[in-house]
Amino acid sequence: MEAVVIDAGSKFLKAGPAIPDQAPSMIIPTQMKRMLEDGSSADGSACEDATVDVTIDPVVRGFIKDWDAMEDLLYHVLYTAFGWEVGNEGQILFTDPLYTPKALREQLVQLLFETFNVSGFYASEQAVLSLYAVGRISGCTVDIGHGKIDIAPVLEGAVQQVASRRFEIGGIDLTKLLAQELGKSNPQVNLNFTDVEKLKEQYSCCAEDEVAYERIQESNETEEHTLPDGQVIKIGRERYTVVSSENQRQLLENTVLCGGTTSMTGFEDRFQKEASLCSSSIRPSLVKPPEYMPENLTVYSAWVGGAILAKVVFPQNQHVTKADYDETGPSVVHRKCF
C-alpha cells in the first residue's frame, strides 16, 4: 500500500497515494459543515429546523485550529475515500507550512498514532517540497495561498529560517476586498462570500504595474455576470488587484511561485516585473516544472514534492515508526522530521 500524502491548506485539502507524476487524487474543500441534531443554532437559540448548518474551518492561515474537525476530515479521507481498514492502517506524510509551532507538530503526530494508528509518519516543510516538485534542492519559494504568504529561501534542502518571512494575508483577504469594492459599485446586489470567491477566481487579474492600474481605475469598461440566484452584477475595475549573501544568486535564480493565488491571470508577469526593479544585481528567475509533471503544478506543488519525498523516506526507514512513537512520545517528530 502506497503512503498517503496530505497537504491541508486553509481552503483545500490535497491528498492521495504517493505517485509523484500524477496530481493528487483528492482535492476537497477544507471547510466543513457540522449538523446539530437538537434543533438549536450555533449560538444556542431555538430553531424551527431539525438541523442547523455550522460552518467550521479546521485550518486557519495554514495552521490546524480545530482538532476535532480535522479528525473528522481525516477519517473521511483515509477510511471512506482511500479505503483504509481499522487495524490495517498505512503510512502518511504531512506537509508543514513555514514556522509551524512545535506544539502543533506534536499534536498532529499524537493524533495520527493514537487515534488513527498509522504505521509510519513523516512531515516536511512545504517550501522544501515545492522545490522538490520542480527538481531543485536549493532556491527560493514564494507561496501565496488562501490564508497566508510564505517566502522561504532553501539551501541544500534546508529552510533558512532567519531569512524567511510569513505574512498572514492571502487569497481570502483579496476576496474580502473584492466584496467591498463590488458592494460599492453594485449596492443593489446581495452578494454572499461564496459568490464573491467564484467571481474572484473567474475574473480577477493582476495589473501589469502601478501605471496600468491607475489607467484601469479611470476606465468605465464593465462586464456583466449573472449570479446563481439570477441577480446580475457588473464587474469592471474591481477585477484588477494590486499585489503590491554568497548563496543569493543560487537562491534567486531558482525562484518557485506556488499557492493557488499565484495562478491569477497576470500574476507571474507582474511578479517578474516588480522583481526586476529590486536594487540587487541578481534578478530572480522563475523555475518552470518539468514537462512530465501534472498541469497546474503551482496549486499543489507541495503535495507533489511530498509524494517524491515519500518514495525515499518510507522505503529507507527514515520515518517515525510506531515503535519510535511508543518509546519517545510526540517529541520524536522533531528528531526524525526535519
Side-chain angles (χ1 to χ4, degrees):
M1 181 165 54
E2 293 279 4
V4 172
V5 179
I6 293 183
D7 179 20
S10 303
K11 185 177 182 181
F12 291 111
L13 180 143
K14 286 78 71 178
I19 305 175
D21 58 352
Q22 296 183 13
S25 57
M26 172 180 278
I27 301 179
I28 59 174
T30 307
Q31 190 178 76
M32 305 167 64
K33 284 188 177 180
R34 179 167 290 160
M35 308 295 290
L36 302 181
E37 300 293 344
D38 60 359
S40 63
S41 63
D43 60 4
S45 59
C47 181
E48 296 179 359
D49 297 331
T51 60
V52 177
D53 289 349
V54 179
T55 301
I56 299 170
D57 291 298
V59 181
V60 178
R61 302 291 184 188
F63 296 142
I64 299 174
K65 296 296 184 182
D66 189 321
W67 288 93
D68 290 337
M70 177 54 71
E71 181 180 334
D72 291 342
L73 187 59
L74 289 177
Y75 188 92
H76 168 73
V77 170
L78 297 174
Y79 292 97
T80 304
F82 293 151
W84 277 19
E85 298 177 354
V86 176
N88 188 32
E89 288 82 1
Q91 301 165 324
I92 193 165
L93 184 147
F94 249 83
T95 72
D96 276 344
L98 187 66
Y99 295 142
T100 298
K102 288 186 175 182
L104 287 187
R105 271 188 139 201
E106 292 182 9
Q107 197 164 352
L108 176 62
V109 75
Q110 182 177 1
L111 173 69
L112 292 173
F113 276 111
E114 296 188 8
T115 301
F116 291 93
N117 196 34
V118 298
S119 58
F121 171 83
Y122 199 83
S124 185
E125 294 188 271
Q126 292 170 354
V128 175
L129 299 177
S130 293
L131 282 170
Y132 287 168
V134 295
R136 300 289 193 280
I137 60 172
S138 296
C140 184
T141 62
V142 180
D143 186 344
I144 307 178
H146 187 63
K148 48 84 179 176
I149 299 174
D150 288 342
I151 303 174
V154 179
L155 192 60
E156 299 295 325
V159 173
Q160 307 301 292
Q161 300 286 349
V162 175
S164 300
R165 294 292 181 271
R166 170 185 165 89
F167 303 94
E168 293 202 343
I169 184 173
I172 189 173
D173 302 288
L174 296 182
T175 303
K176 292 176 181 177
L177 176 60
L178 180 60
Q180 292 176 5
E181 295 300 313
L182 289 174
K184 293 175 185 177
S185 58
N186 297 265
Q188 77 286 357
V189 178
N190 183 23
L191 285 169
N192 61 49
F193 197 80
T194 301
D195 289 338
V196 178
E197 186 75 23
K198 291 178 180 178
L199 288 170
K200 182 191 74 174
E201 294 172 357
Q202 183 173 349
Y203 291 102
S204 286
C205 302
C206 194
E208 184 180 358
D209 52 31
E210 295 270 0
V211 175
Y213 180 72
E214 293 298 330
R215 187 168 60 249
I216 290 163
Q217 294 301 296
E218 298 171 0
S219 171
N220 293 320
E221 185 177 339
T222 62
E223 185 173 348
E224 289 190 349
H225 177 88
T226 303
L227 297 172
D229 61 3
Q231 297 182 94
V232 177
I233 187 171
K234 290 184 178 180
I235 304 172
R237 58 191 180 188
E238 301 89 358
R239 67 191 294 176
Y240 288 88
T241 306
V242 177
V243 180
S244 9
S245 77
E246 64 179 280
N247 304 118
Q248 188 178 30
R249 179 178 298 278
Q250 181 184 15
L251 299 179
L252 291 179
E253 290 182 348
N254 292 280
T255 300
V256 174
L257 290 180
C258 46
T261 303
T262 63
S263 61
M264 180 190 301
T265 302
F267 185 91
E268 183 177 316
D269 293 338
R270 178 65 181 273
F271 179 87
Q272 290 190 302
K273 186 164 187 176
E274 294 287 342
S276 68
L277 301 177
C278 68
S279 58
S280 171
S281 60
I282 306 169
R283 296 290 179 261
S285 177
L286 297 182
V287 178
K288 300 294 184 181
E291 292 183 359
Y292 57 81
M293 281 299 184
E295 295 182 359
N296 302 319
L297 185 64
T298 57
V299 179
Y300 42 77
S301 57
W303 183 91
V304 172
I308 294 171
L309 184 60
K311 289 292 190 180
V312 177
V313 295
F314 291 113
Q316 296 184 5
N317 293 320
Q318 298 173 6
H319 59 284
V320 179
T321 65
K322 186 67 166 65
D324 294 330
Y325 179 81
D326 291 340
E327 179 181 348
T328 308
S331 63
V332 70
V333 69
H334 309 307
R335 178 169 57 86
K336 300 209 69 172
C337 303
F338 48 84

